[in-house]
Amino acid sequence: MNGLVLLIPVALGLGLLGLAAFFWSLRQGQFEDLDGAALRIFVEDEQDRPT
C-alpha cells in the first residue's frame, strides 16, 4: 500500500510531463510537415550520383 502512495504521484507526474512535451512540440511546429519527411527519401542527393 505504501508503494501505491509513491507510484501514483510519480505516474501522474510523468503523464503531465509527456502532455507538456506534446503541447510544446505542437507550439514549435513539429507536426506541420508530416508528408515532407516521407517524400524526402525519394529525392536523390546530387553528391551521391556517379559522374
Side-chain angles (χ1 to χ4, degrees), residues 2-21:
N2 290 336
L4 288 177
V5 173
L6 178 68
L7 290 177
I8 289 175
V10 169
L12 289 175
L14 288 175
L16 288 174
L17 182 67
L19 190 63

Side-chain angles (χ1 to χ4, degrees), residues 22 25-26 28-34:
F22 174 72
S25 65
L26 279 178
Q28 297 297 318
Q30 296 291 319
F31 298 107
E32 288 182 359
D33 186 21
L34 295 178

Side-chain angles (χ1 to χ4, degrees), residues 36-46 48-49:
L39 294 176
R40 264 183 242 128
I41 196 168
F42 296 120
V43 176
E44 293 184 24
D45 291 336
E46 294 294 326
D48 294 341
R49 288 186 178 174

